[in-house]
Amino acid sequence: MGPPGSGKGTQALKLSERLVIPHIALGDILREEVAGGTEIGKQAEKFMSAGKLVPDELTIDIVRERLKKSDCRDGFILDGFPRNSNQAKNLEKIFLELKVGLDRAVYFSIPLPDVVKRLSERRSCKRCGAVYHLTFHPPKKSAKGGSASGGKDVCDRCGGELYQRHDDEESIIKTRFSVYGDETKPLIKHFEEKGVLLEIDAAGGVEEIYSRLLSSLGISK
Ligand code: AP5
């Protein structure tokens, strides 16, 4: 958990590679549905492009079906779910159904001005979903680097084209922050009361935060 741009996706991907368990990011799944023009994608698009939460009727079933897949048997990292109290209640039911437990809810805390800079220069890979930042974590082949990349930003992992997310536009970022404050932030208390909350100071460089995350979880590099 954490506000938009706090680094949830960046850290979750690194941790999933370290633990060899799936990184399940609801935002990525929904963007794939939109790109594929599916019925779910068509319904989700208007909410996502406005920076609002997609209705629970769509998201809860997606998560339930995804967690039933065999690659989740040894664990998984959920990124961006739950985001409101109804999703949290339903996640508990799904965990009961699947007989799995929640080890930790990681909360990335960071001052809002820091995340605005992160979001405005974010680039994501169209093919594999890897996330970059033009200043803090630039791809090796960048448009800033001139002709070597053919004027395009290219993913280091898979060579896919990088793009700027539509919802990283300033007015939509503002809506995402306010939705986060109203609907998602209150869940921090919920996880604290359950005794599973782990708060990580998310200001600083990617590797610094990753080291903090691993040591708080008691995992070696
Ligand atoms: P989603 O894609 O989950 O967006 P978000 O929550 O707003 O989070 P972000 O992806 O913007 O940020 P992040 O914290 O993952 O940061 P990142 O690692 O990318 O959701 C999008 C939309 O989908 C929602 O608005 C909603 O419509 C819908 N949706 C999703 N889940 C839903 C749900 N449960 N219910 C209903 N609707 C849902 O990092 C950001 C940038 O900073 C990158 O450029 C990165 O390279 C850079 N960076 C990261 N860490 C550092 C660092 N330490 N230092 C410098 N730069 C850094």
Side-chain angles (χ1 to χ4, degrees):
M1 299 179 62
S6 56
K8 304 181 291 294
T10 301
Q11 298 296 331
L13 181 63
K14 287 173 78 67
L15 188 60
S16 77
E17 286 173 349
R18 166 68 184 81
L19 296 177
V20 199
I21 55 174
H23 165 212
I24 300 170
L26 197 60
D28 291 347
I29 295 174
L30 291 168
R31 278 185 288 278
E32 276 167 27
E33 297 280 349
V34 171
T38 65
E39 196 44 49
I40 290 176
K42 282 179 195 153
Q43 291 184 53
E45 188 171 19
K46 55 181 179 292
F47 296 96
M48 296 176 78
S49 60
K52 296 185 176 161
L53 292 186
V54 172
D56 292 349
E57 302 84 80
L58 296 177
T59 57
I60 292 165
D61 285 343
I62 292 177
V63 171
R64 179 184 289 106
E65 291 314 306
R66 180 64 187 86
L67 296 186
K68 280 183 185 168
K69 294 200 173 159
S70 59
D71 64 341
C72 291
R73 256 181 305 198
D74 293 332
F76 48 83
I77 299 173
L78 260 181
D79 168 7
F81 191 94
R83 289 201 198 219
N84 61 28
S85 58
N86 186 44
Q87 291 183 5
K89 274 187 215 137
N90 277 279
L91 187 63
E92 281 179 15
K93 284 189 200 159
I94 294 171
F95 280 4
L96 277 175
E97 273 168 47
L98 301 180
K99 299 189 175 62
V100 296
L102 175 67
D103 294 317
R104 292 278 186 281
V106 181
Y107 163 45
F108 292 102
S109 68
I110 186 162
L112 289 191
D114 289 21
V115 295
V116 175
K117 166 82 177 153
R118 288 187 186 180
L119 291 175
S120 60
E121 288 192 34
R122 169 166 50 192
R123 296 293 181 273
S124 308
C125 177
K126 274 187 184 170
R127 201 185 292 161
C128 76
V131 177
Y132 298 86
H133 188 280
L134 294 183
T135 303
F136 303 133
H137 174 40
K140 290 189 184 101
K141 287 186 185 170
S142 163
K144 278 186 174 176
S147 57
S149 66
K152 282 185 180 159
D153 294 318
V154 177
C155 179
D156 298 344
R157 296 171 83 216
C158 75
E161 193 182 325
L162 303 188
Y163 76 105
Q164 182 164 25
R165 272 171 48 177
H166 167 72
D167 62 350
D168 281 346
E169 198 232 291
E170 204 179 320
S171 63
I172 305 172
I173 291 175
K174 279 192 187 140
T175 308
R176 287 162 61 206
F177 281 149
S178 90
V179 169
Y180 170 77
D182 293 346
E183 302 198 44
T184 310
K185 208 170 174 204
L187 290 183
I188 292 164
K189 195 159 177 277
H190 165 85
F191 289 116
E192 195 170 21
E193 284 167 0
K194 291 200 162 288
V196 291
L197 189 76
L198 180 64
E199 182 168 346
I200 300 285
D201 173 4
V206 171
E207 290 307 321
E208 193 185 338
I209 295 158
Y210 184 54
S211 295
R212 252 177 239 156
L213 175 64
L214 289 183
S215 75
S216 305
L217 290 169
I219 297 170
S220 63
K221 262 211 168 175

